[in-house]
Amino acid sequence: MDKSKPLPFAFYARPARTVAQELLGKKLVRQLNGRRLSGIIVETEAYCDAEERDLACHGERANNAQPTPRTAVMFGPAGVAYVYFTYGIHWLFNVVTGEMGQPNAVLIRALEPVDGVDSMAEQRGERPLRQLTNGPAKLTQALAIDKSHNEANLCQPGGVIWIEDAPAVSPNQIATGPRIGLGKTPEPWYSIPWRYWLADNPFVSK
């Protein structure tokens, strides 16, 4: 596969937990005002309803797993962006995964900056390198991702945002744990270990 091209639809059309792990080490790319901004994906979370219910998933808990104006994008097709507003101040960037009709998505939680670091620093207010993209709201601010990117086709060449291929990460490099910020989500979904990150990477969220 040409690493400079977007990952294909087939990559995303799989269970969220599989995609969440295989996205680690891939590169999220954003074209901003003619400049390339990019970062290696070092942390993800899976939100899925394909094989079992997930009450932390927006599409599952909203309207009994029926699409709403906000969550319709989660129901397919795979390979598009799901960008939503949270806490009244932050945008979060997700990729839609799985089969049509099932609400599946992977939250991109943290990046290791690669290209366009100066531009990221401008977007983030000149913070230290490690603090530019070490969290889901930080990375959207650094890459200027907002509601205009909701439903963006991540598989389309020549787009403004996409994910490029990279060598697969060894399973022994991947750490797992509970997802973060689930509020009043009941057990077992509150504690289920569907958060994945590159062990010992300094850009993982804190």
Short mmCIF file of all heavy atoms in Angstrom, two decimals, residues 86-130:
data_model
loop_
_atom_site.label_atom_id
_atom_site.label_comp_id
_atom_site.label_asym_id
_atom_site.label_seq_id
_atom_site.Cartn_x
_atom_site.Cartn_y
_atom_site.Cartn_z
N THR A 86 -18.33 18.73 22.62
CA THR A 86 -18.54 18.22 23.96
C THR A 86 -18.19 19.27 25.01
O THR A 86 -17.31 20.12 24.77
CB THR A 86 -17.70 16.94 24.20
OG1 THR A 86 -18.03 16.36 25.47
CG2 THR A 86 -16.21 17.23 24.13
N TYR A 87 -18.86 19.22 26.13
CA TYR A 87 -18.65 20.16 27.24
C TYR A 87 -18.82 21.62 26.82
O TYR A 87 -18.39 22.53 27.53
CB TYR A 87 -17.26 19.96 27.87
CG TYR A 87 -17.04 18.60 28.44
CD1 TYR A 87 -15.99 17.80 27.97
CD2 TYR A 87 -17.86 18.08 29.44
CE1 TYR A 87 -15.78 16.52 28.48
CE2 TYR A 87 -17.66 16.81 29.96
CZ TYR A 87 -16.62 16.04 29.48
OH TYR A 87 -16.42 14.78 29.99
N GLY A 88 -19.43 21.82 25.67
CA GLY A 88 -19.67 23.17 25.20
C GLY A 88 -18.44 23.94 24.74
O GLY A 88 -18.53 25.13 24.40
N ILE A 89 -17.28 23.26 24.66
CA ILE A 89 -16.05 23.97 24.28
C ILE A 89 -15.12 23.17 23.36
O ILE A 89 -14.25 23.77 22.73
CB ILE A 89 -15.24 24.38 25.54
CG1 ILE A 89 -15.06 23.16 26.48
CG2 ILE A 89 -15.90 25.52 26.27
CD1 ILE A 89 -14.18 23.46 27.68
N HIS A 90 -15.27 21.85 23.28
CA HIS A 90 -14.29 21.04 22.56
C HIS A 90 -14.91 20.26 21.40
O HIS A 90 -16.03 19.75 21.51
CB HIS A 90 -13.65 20.01 23.51
CG HIS A 90 -12.91 20.60 24.66
ND1 HIS A 90 -11.92 21.56 24.51
CD2 HIS A 90 -13.01 20.37 25.99
CE1 HIS A 90 -11.45 21.88 25.70
NE2 HIS A 90 -12.10 21.19 26.61
N TRP A 91 -14.14 20.14 20.30
CA TRP A 91 -14.47 19.22 19.23
C TRP A 91 -13.66 17.95 19.40
O TRP A 91 -12.47 18.02 19.76
CB TRP A 91 -14.15 19.84 17.86
CG TRP A 91 -14.97 21.04 17.54
CD1 TRP A 91 -14.57 22.34 17.59
CD2 TRP A 91 -16.34 21.06 17.15
NE1 TRP A 91 -15.61 23.17 17.26
CE2 TRP A 91 -16.71 22.41 16.98
CE3 TRP A 91 -17.29 20.06 16.92
CZ2 TRP A 91 -17.99 22.79 16.59
CZ3 TRP A 91 -18.56 20.44 16.53
CH2 TRP A 91 -18.90 21.79 16.38
N LEU A 92 -14.27 16.79 19.15
CA LEU A 92 -13.57 15.51 19.22
C LEU A 92 -13.69 14.82 17.86
O LEU A 92 -14.76 14.83 17.24
CB LEU A 92 -14.12 14.62 20.33
CG LEU A 92 -14.05 15.19 21.75
CD1 LEU A 92 -14.46 14.11 22.76
CD2 LEU A 92 -12.67 15.74 22.09
N PHE A 93 -12.59 14.20 17.44
CA PHE A 93 -12.50 13.59 16.11
C PHE A 93 -12.54 12.07 16.22
O PHE A 93 -11.73 11.46 16.92
CB PHE A 93 -11.21 14.03 15.43
CG PHE A 93 -10.95 13.37 14.10
CD1 PHE A 93 -11.64 13.78 12.97
CD2 PHE A 93 -10.03 12.34 13.99
CE1 PHE A 93 -11.40 13.17 11.74
CE2 PHE A 93 -9.77 11.73 12.77
CZ PHE A 93 -10.47 12.15 11.64
N ASN A 94 -13.50 11.47 15.51
CA ASN A 94 -13.66 10.01 15.47
C ASN A 94 -13.69 9.54 14.02
O ASN A 94 -14.02 10.31 13.12
CB ASN A 94 -15.00 9.59 16.12
CG ASN A 94 -15.17 10.10 17.53
OD1 ASN A 94 -15.06 9.36 18.48
ND2 ASN A 94 -15.47 11.39 17.68
N VAL A 95 -13.40 8.27 13.82
CA VAL A 95 -13.57 7.66 12.50
C VAL A 95 -14.66 6.60 12.61
O VAL A 95 -14.71 5.84 13.57
CB VAL A 95 -12.26 7.04 11.97
CG1 VAL A 95 -11.21 8.12 11.81
CG2 VAL A 95 -11.74 5.94 12.87
N VAL A 96 -15.57 6.59 11.65
CA VAL A 96 -16.66 5.62 11.64
C VAL A 96 -16.13 4.28 11.13
O VAL A 96 -15.37 4.22 10.16
CB VAL A 96 -17.82 6.12 10.76
CG1 VAL A 96 -18.94 5.09 10.69
CG2 VAL A 96 -18.35 7.44 11.30
N THR A 97 -16.55 3.21 11.79
CA THR A 97 -16.08 1.87 11.46
C THR A 97 -17.26 0.91 11.33
O THR A 97 -18.41 1.29 11.54
CB THR A 97 -15.13 1.35 12.56
OG1 THR A 97 -15.84 1.30 13.81
CG2 THR A 97 -13.93 2.27 12.71
N GLY A 98 -16.96 -0.35 11.00
CA GLY A 98 -17.95 -1.41 11.04
C GLY A 98 -18.92 -1.42 9.87
O GLY A 98 -18.67 -0.86 8.81
N GLU A 99 -20.06 -2.08 10.11
CA GLU A 99 -21.06 -2.31 9.08
C GLU A 99 -22.10 -1.20 9.05
O GLU A 99 -22.38 -0.57 10.06
CB GLU A 99 -21.77 -3.65 9.34
CG GLU A 99 -20.85 -4.86 9.34
CD GLU A 99 -21.59 -6.14 9.65
OE1 GLU A 99 -22.83 -6.09 9.84
OE2 GLU A 99 -20.94 -7.20 9.72
N MET A 100 -22.68 -0.99 7.87
CA MET A 100 -23.79 -0.04 7.74
C MET A 100 -24.92 -0.45 8.69
O MET A 100 -25.22 -1.63 8.84
CB MET A 100 -24.31 -0.05 6.31
CG MET A 100 -23.42 0.66 5.31
SD MET A 100 -23.50 2.46 5.46
CE MET A 100 -25.18 2.77 4.93
N GLY A 101 -25.51 0.55 9.31
CA GLY A 101 -26.65 0.29 10.17
C GLY A 101 -26.31 0.02 11.62
O GLY A 101 -27.21 -0.07 12.46
N GLN A 102 -25.01 -0.11 11.94
CA GLN A 102 -24.57 -0.33 13.31
C GLN A 102 -23.72 0.86 13.74
O GLN A 102 -22.79 1.24 13.02
CB GLN A 102 -23.74 -1.61 13.41
CG GLN A 102 -24.49 -2.88 13.05
CD GLN A 102 -25.40 -3.35 14.18
OE1 GLN A 102 -25.43 -2.74 15.25
NE2 GLN A 102 -26.14 -4.41 13.94
N PRO A 103 -24.01 1.47 14.91
CA PRO A 103 -23.23 2.62 15.34
C PRO A 103 -21.86 2.22 15.87
O PRO A 103 -21.73 1.71 16.98
CB PRO A 103 -24.09 3.25 16.45
CG PRO A 103 -24.86 2.09 17.01
CD PRO A 103 -25.10 1.16 15.85
N ASN A 104 -20.85 2.46 15.08
CA ASN A 104 -19.48 2.11 15.45
C ASN A 104 -18.56 3.28 15.16
O ASN A 104 -18.69 3.92 14.10
CB ASN A 104 -18.98 0.93 14.62
CG ASN A 104 -19.60 -0.39 15.03
OD1 ASN A 104 -18.95 -1.20 15.67
ND2 ASN A 104 -20.85 -0.61 14.64
N ALA A 105 -17.62 3.55 16.04
CA ALA A 105 -16.64 4.61 15.79
C ALA A 105 -15.43 4.42 16.69
O ALA A 105 -15.49 3.76 17.73
CB ALA A 105 -17.25 5.99 16.01
N VAL A 106 -14.33 5.03 16.27
CA VAL A 106 -13.10 5.04 17.06
C VAL A 106 -12.71 6.48 17.31
O VAL A 106 -12.58 7.27 16.37
CB VAL A 106 -11.95 4.31 16.32
CG1 VAL A 106 -10.64 4.48 17.08
CG2 VAL A 106 -12.28 2.83 16.15
N LEU A 107 -12.56 6.84 18.58
CA LEU A 107 -12.10 8.16 18.96
C LEU A 107 -10.58 8.21 18.87
O LEU A 107 -9.90 7.33 19.41
CB LEU A 107 -12.54 8.48 20.39
CG LEU A 107 -11.97 9.75 21.03
CD1 LEU A 107 -12.47 11.00 20.31
CD2 LEU A 107 -12.30 9.80 22.52
N ILE A 108 -10.05 9.22 18.19
CA ILE A 108 -8.61 9.43 18.17
C ILE A 108 -8.27 10.31 19.38
O ILE A 108 -8.68 11.47 19.44
CB ILE A 108 -8.15 10.11 16.86
CG1 ILE A 108 -8.69 9.35 15.65
CG2 ILE A 108 -6.63 10.21 16.83
CD1 ILE A 108 -8.26 7.89 15.57
N ARG A 109 -7.54 9.76 20.33
CA ARG A 109 -7.31 10.45 21.60
C ARG A 109 -6.01 11.23 21.64
O ARG A 109 -5.93 12.24 22.37
CB ARG A 109 -7.31 9.44 22.76
CG ARG A 109 -8.69 9.03 23.24
CD ARG A 109 -8.61 8.44 24.65
NE ARG A 109 -8.03 9.39 25.59
CZ ARG A 109 -8.73 10.32 26.24
NH1 ARG A 109 -10.05 10.41 26.07
NH2 ARG A 109 -8.12 11.15 27.06
N ALA A 110 -4.97 10.80 20.93
CA ALA A 110 -3.69 11.51 21.03
C ALA A 110 -2.83 11.21 19.82
O ALA A 110 -2.91 10.13 19.22
CB ALA A 110 -2.96 11.12 22.32
N LEU A 111 -1.98 12.19 19.50
CA LEU A 111 -1.05 12.09 18.38
C LEU A 111 0.36 12.45 18.85
O LEU A 111 0.54 13.22 19.79
CB LEU A 111 -1.42 13.07 17.26
CG LEU A 111 -2.81 13.03 16.65
CD1 LEU A 111 -2.95 14.20 15.66
CD2 LEU A 111 -3.05 11.70 15.95
N GLU A 112 1.34 11.93 18.12
CA GLU A 112 2.73 12.38 18.26
C GLU A 112 3.00 13.28 17.07
O GLU A 112 3.03 12.81 15.93
CB GLU A 112 3.68 11.19 18.27
CG GLU A 112 5.14 11.59 18.36
CD GLU A 112 6.07 10.40 18.43
OE1 GLU A 112 5.63 9.31 18.86
OE2 GLU A 112 7.25 10.56 18.04
N PRO A 113 3.19 14.59 17.26
CA PRO A 113 3.33 15.52 16.14
C PRO A 113 4.49 15.16 15.21
O PRO A 113 5.56 14.75 15.67
CB PRO A 113 3.59 16.86 16.82
CG PRO A 113 3.02 16.71 18.20
CD PRO A 113 3.26 15.28 18.57
N VAL A 114 4.27 15.32 13.90
CA VAL A 114 5.30 15.03 12.91
C VAL A 114 5.50 16.24 11.99
O VAL A 114 6.56 16.87 11.99
CB VAL A 114 4.95 13.78 12.08
CG1 VAL A 114 6.01 13.55 11.00
CG2 VAL A 114 4.82 12.55 12.97
N ASP A 115 4.50 16.56 11.18
CA ASP A 115 4.60 17.66 10.22
C ASP A 115 3.82 18.88 10.70
O ASP A 115 2.75 18.74 11.29
CB ASP A 115 4.04 17.24 8.86
CG ASP A 115 4.78 16.06 8.26
OD1 ASP A 115 6.02 16.13 8.18
OD2 ASP A 115 4.12 15.07 7.89
N GLY A 116 4.35 20.07 10.40
CA GLY A 116 3.63 21.29 10.71
C GLY A 116 3.56 21.63 12.18
O GLY A 116 2.57 22.21 12.65
N VAL A 117 4.61 21.28 12.93
CA VAL A 117 4.60 21.51 14.38
C VAL A 117 4.44 23.00 14.70
O VAL A 117 3.74 23.37 15.65
CB VAL A 117 5.87 20.93 15.02
CG1 VAL A 117 5.96 21.31 16.49
CG2 VAL A 117 5.91 19.42 14.87
N ASP A 118 5.07 23.86 13.90
CA ASP A 118 4.95 25.30 14.15
C ASP A 118 3.50 25.77 14.05
O ASP A 118 3.02 26.55 14.87
CB ASP A 118 5.81 26.09 13.17
CG ASP A 118 7.29 25.93 13.44
OD1 ASP A 118 7.64 25.42 14.53
OD2 ASP A 118 8.10 26.30 12.56
N SER A 119 2.79 25.26 13.04
CA SER A 119 1.38 25.62 12.88
C SER A 119 0.55 25.08 14.03
O SER A 119 -0.37 25.75 14.53
CB SER A 119 0.84 25.07 11.55
OG SER A 119 1.41 25.76 10.45
N MET A 120 0.85 23.85 14.48
CA MET A 120 0.13 23.29 15.62
C MET A 120 0.35 24.16 16.86
O MET A 120 -0.59 24.42 17.63
CB MET A 120 0.60 21.87 15.90
CG MET A 120 0.26 20.87 14.83
SD MET A 120 0.75 19.20 15.36
CE MET A 120 0.81 18.35 13.78
N ALA A 121 1.58 24.61 17.05
CA ALA A 121 1.87 25.44 18.21
C ALA A 121 1.11 26.76 18.14
O ALA A 121 0.64 27.27 19.17
CB ALA A 121 3.38 25.70 18.30
N GLU A 122 0.96 27.32 16.94
CA GLU A 122 0.18 28.54 16.79
C GLU A 122 -1.27 28.31 17.17
O GLU A 122 -1.91 29.13 17.84
CB GLU A 122 0.27 29.04 15.35
CG GLU A 122 1.64 29.57 14.96
CD GLU A 122 1.71 29.93 13.49
OE1 GLU A 122 0.66 29.89 12.82
OE2 GLU A 122 2.82 30.22 13.01
N GLN A 123 -1.82 27.18 16.73
CA GLN A 123 -3.21 26.85 17.03
C GLN A 123 -3.41 26.63 18.53
O GLN A 123 -4.48 26.93 19.08
CB GLN A 123 -3.62 25.58 16.28
CG GLN A 123 -3.56 25.67 14.77
CD GLN A 123 -4.67 26.51 14.18
OE1 GLN A 123 -5.70 26.72 14.81
NE2 GLN A 123 -4.48 26.98 12.97
N ARG A 124 -2.37 26.11 19.21
CA ARG A 124 -2.49 25.73 20.62
C ARG A 124 -1.96 26.79 21.58
O ARG A 124 -1.92 26.57 22.79
CB ARG A 124 -1.75 24.41 20.84
CG ARG A 124 -2.40 23.21 20.19
CD ARG A 124 -3.53 22.64 21.06
NE ARG A 124 -3.00 22.12 22.29
CZ ARG A 124 -3.46 22.41 23.50
NH1 ARG A 124 -4.49 23.22 23.64
NH2 ARG A 124 -2.91 21.87 24.58
N GLY A 125 -1.45 27.91 21.05
CA GLY A 125 -0.97 28.95 21.95
C GLY A 125 0.43 28.72 22.46
O GLY A 125 0.73 29.00 23.63
N GLU A 126 1.31 28.22 21.58
CA GLU A 126 2.73 28.07 21.90
C GLU A 126 3.00 27.19 23.12
O GLU A 126 3.87 27.48 23.93
CB GLU A 126 3.38 29.45 22.10
CG GLU A 126 3.23 30.39 20.92
CD GLU A 126 3.89 29.87 19.64
OE1 GLU A 126 4.83 29.07 19.73
OE2 GLU A 126 3.43 30.27 18.54
N ARG A 127 2.29 26.11 23.25
CA ARG A 127 2.53 25.18 24.34
C ARG A 127 3.71 24.27 24.01
O ARG A 127 4.10 24.13 22.86
CB ARG A 127 1.27 24.35 24.61
CG ARG A 127 0.16 25.14 25.28
CD ARG A 127 -1.11 24.32 25.38
NE ARG A 127 -2.11 24.97 26.19
CZ ARG A 127 -2.91 25.94 25.80
NH1 ARG A 127 -2.79 26.41 24.56
NH2 ARG A 127 -3.80 26.47 26.60
N PRO A 128 4.28 23.60 25.02
CA PRO A 128 5.39 22.68 24.78
C PRO A 128 4.98 21.56 23.82
O PRO A 128 3.80 21.21 23.73
CB PRO A 128 5.73 22.12 26.16
CG PRO A 128 5.21 23.16 27.12
CD PRO A 128 3.99 23.73 26.46
N LEU A 129 5.95 20.98 23.12
CA LEU A 129 5.68 19.95 22.12
C LEU A 129 4.82 18.83 22.67
O LEU A 129 3.86 18.40 22.03
CB LEU A 129 7.01 19.39 21.60
CG LEU A 129 6.90 18.29 20.54
CD1 LEU A 129 6.26 18.83 19.26
CD2 LEU A 129 8.27 17.68 20.25
N ARG A 130 5.12 18.36 23.86
CA ARG A 130 4.38 17.22 24.42
C ARG A 130 2.93 17.55 24.72
O ARG A 130 2.11 16.64 24.88
CB ARG A 130 5.06 16.70 25.69
CG ARG A 130 6.35 15.94 25.42
CD ARG A 130 6.78 15.19 26.67
NE ARG A 130 8.00 14.43 26.45
CZ ARG A 130 8.53 13.61 27.35
NH1 ARG A 130 7.94 13.46 28.54
NH2 ARG A 130 9.63 12.93 27.08
#
